[in-house]
Amino acid sequence: MRGKDFSVEQAAGTLESLYEKYRGEKGAVIPLLQDVQEEFGYLPEEAVNWIADRLEVPRSFFFGVATFYAQFHLAPRGKNIITACSGTACHVKGSERIINFIKRDLGLTDKQETTEDMGFTLEKVNCVGVCSISPVVIINKKVHGKAAPAKILKEIKLLKKKK
Amino acid sequence: MAKETSIRVCMGPGGIASGGEEVLRAFGRELKKSNVKAALKKGCSMHHVGCMGLCARDVLVEVVLNGKTYTYQYVTPDMVSTIVSKHVVGGKPIKEWLVDDSYVNFIKKQTKVVLSDCGRINPESLDAYIAVGGYEATRSVLKSKTPEDTIEIIKESGLRGRGGAGFPTGRKWEFCRAVESDRKYIICNADEGDPGAFMDRALLEGNPHAVLEGMIIGAYAIGADSGYVYIRAEYPLAVERLRLALKHAKKKKLLGRNILGSGFNFDIKIKLGAGAFVCGESTALMYSIEGKRGMPRITPPRSTEAGLWGKPTVLNNVETLANIPYIIRNGANWFASFGKGKSKGTKVFALTGKIKNSGLIEVPMGISLRKIVYDIGGGIEEDKKLKAVQTGGPSGGCIPASMIDINVDYESLAKVGSIVGSGGMIVLDEDDCMVNVAKYFLQFTQSESCGKCVPCRVGTKRLLEIMERITSGRGKTSDLALLEKLGNDVKSASLCGLGQAAPNPILSTIKYFREEYEVHIAGRCPSKVCKELLTYSIIEELCKGCCACLRACSSGAITGEKKKPHRIDQSLCVKCGACFEVCKFKSVDRE
Ligand SMILES: Cc1cc2nc3c(=O)[nH]c(=O)nc-3n(C[C@H](O)[C@H](O)[C@H](O)COP(=O)(O)O)c2cc1C
């Protein structure tokens, strides 16, 4: 169950089992949220509320954690995830240029991460640690090193055709 | 006895990205076909070859035949059948595919301690680690050394923290040992947040057991019974290999209750980070493990007195810990024989940017920067001019080309306004804009500031605004003095290391590249990097009227008819540079 149509009634079973998995474990908030996100592709507000209530912890505590860490997404994400590395090595090798090309291709505005049709999400990350083959773009978990705009746009084109 | 033939395929992050798995599978197939008893090892050759494998030359494959090692570069699956039939079976290496001299230099000029087994052994096999002396140090410590003896050895070795601050490891352990408590923890900092650094990633992926062994010995020394590895989620392969290593170590009773029959109990858990740079800071990291927002607190009390869940805790970096077994095995004096002055041993650097041999290198502390860049690194890409070397990431500074003979150690780098840091080393050439690089780092620290203390939260924001002003043509002459004043204020007033170091990239570039800032304030970016200071125009004499730029322009700024020179309307141009990229006739001018 991914994307926009999250329903807490339908998800209750899953949430209950995740709650059980971490019950009694010290400091389990982050792994628990990581699991919820893994399950639904993002952190639906109602899911976080459900868990906070179940644990009898203020909801604000959970949202405090969720908004602190870059890994957590509070809005649904696209079907395809494009991760552009903007580490230092990638930066000096032109990652910004590639990001601009991708944005233009997908029609994303500066503040927008996900396309209107939920097809693609473009995210920037600080460094993925393969600096020697920079610039690096990861498309649906596959690493593309020495990424040239043309090569990446071709990959995106293939994905667009797939849907 | 006939010598064994073995083949090592680089399966590090670079190797995998370049198709290492396909190459490995191709070897499997071909060897089966030709019935050769070659041991297929997943040894991460990239480390053995100094990570050159990660860059231009992956996939790297080593063939060890009759005791001699041959290294192939740029291997693709379709080359494999030839390598197997001609070389592995036929005994004749294929010369054109082997690595060249610059590669040989790259390997020869390094000194490998922590990386010595990386890239040679299969990181997914405990037996492979044991076969090269792994866990001997654990055995000897548990059997015949007191915790105090162990701490003494580490102190004598002169090992200092490799995570950035360079605090003497033995002393940190001693502090923690001295504190009375029912519970103590040891944590491995594998957050590796500095952009442009991948030393810890490579170590965890290439030799995870060495890190675990360092933790076991550390735990014994301070009296901890549980440990954590706090690792960034962006490193899935490292997490996977670490999990596997933990499983194997537990099975062999190297972890758990009564380790190796010594009565010592110790276990390790993995905690995945969730993407916050500040969580590399020790107090923030511990809050994060506790499941809270990772916001640093004021010290003292130090973590060694009151750390995770209020208990005495030692936090050490991955590379620091990976050094431990080698020091115990070979002795403190052996380790101290590498390095210079107060900087002992070796250091791993991630050498990247505009350098020919980009990769992971290990060198004795105190080596000259020139040797790193020119002997090991092979010089600047496309033989361009070196401009500066950035060390220490967002907390560090730039060393200008004129200081290339500086010794790379904690004290020497600090003297010129940079730091050794965790080991990122980014080489910049004549095309790089120093103002842009400084702005880049500030954007990073500003967005990663946790917001707890005002000097960092507001100070980095204001600094960034000034930098944005300068790089967009709105700079003022007074901005430089303002940057320096504000930068020093943020440094002295911030709560944790993030804010205390955030202004460093700006301050060091102002110090060494002041005129570049001044040219920007005057409205020009000499390296043509700062977008807003550029103007695009079409050189009419060269324009063939092919319409490529017109099609590429997303803002409708280009007009013109087919086969006639085009024009760019400056009021509509957003300076994206698309026209410049697509023009095949070099008729778009960028100034
Ligand atoms: C903002 C900030 C980020 C840090 N990030 C890391 C990191 O990613 N990895 C690391 O080992 N140390 C990092 N450190 C340093 C740690 O706080 C700590 O000094 C280190 O892990 C101690 O281990 P060591 O003595 O073995 O170096 C960071 C410090 C600060 C202030």
Side-chain angles (χ1 to χ4, degrees), chain A residues 26-27 29-31 34 61 64-65 67-72 86-89 91-93 97 100-101 104 126-133 142-143 146, chain B residues 13 54-56 195-196 198 201 232-233 271 273-275 279 288-294 352-354 358-359 381 426 436 440-441 444 448 554 578 581:
Chain A
K26 263 210 284 189
V29 173
I30 294 170
Q34 281 168 335
F61 179 78
V65 170
T67 51
F68 186 82
Y69 296 96
Q71 199 191 58
F72 295 122
S86 20
T88 321
H91 177 76
V92 300
K93 294 250 176 132
R97 206 181 118 228
N100 285 336
F101 268 97
R104 222 174 319 133
N126 287 335
C127 183
V128 293
V130 275
C131 317
S132 291
I133 52 170
K142 180 160 176 15
V143 179
K146 294 180 194 162
Chain B
L54 271 183
C55 55
F198 54 92
R201 168 177 190 166
R232 50 195 315 235
K271 279 275 179 180
C279 287
S288 181
I289 292 182
E290 293 173 10
K292 303 182 181 134
R293 288 163 74 98
T352 64
K354 309 291 179 63
S358 170
E381 259 183 357
I426 291 122
N436 174 275
Y440 164 81
F441 281 120
F444 177 85
E448 293 297 334
S554 57
E581 307 275 344

Side-chain angles (χ1 to χ4, degrees), chain B residues 161-163 172 189 192-193 277 280-282 315-317 320 497-498:
Chain B
R162 300 302 194 226
K172 195 189 275 186
N189 191 342
E192 196 157 59
F277 172 66
E281 194 275 344
S282 54
L315 174 71
N316 278 132
N317 163 264
T320 312
L498 192 151

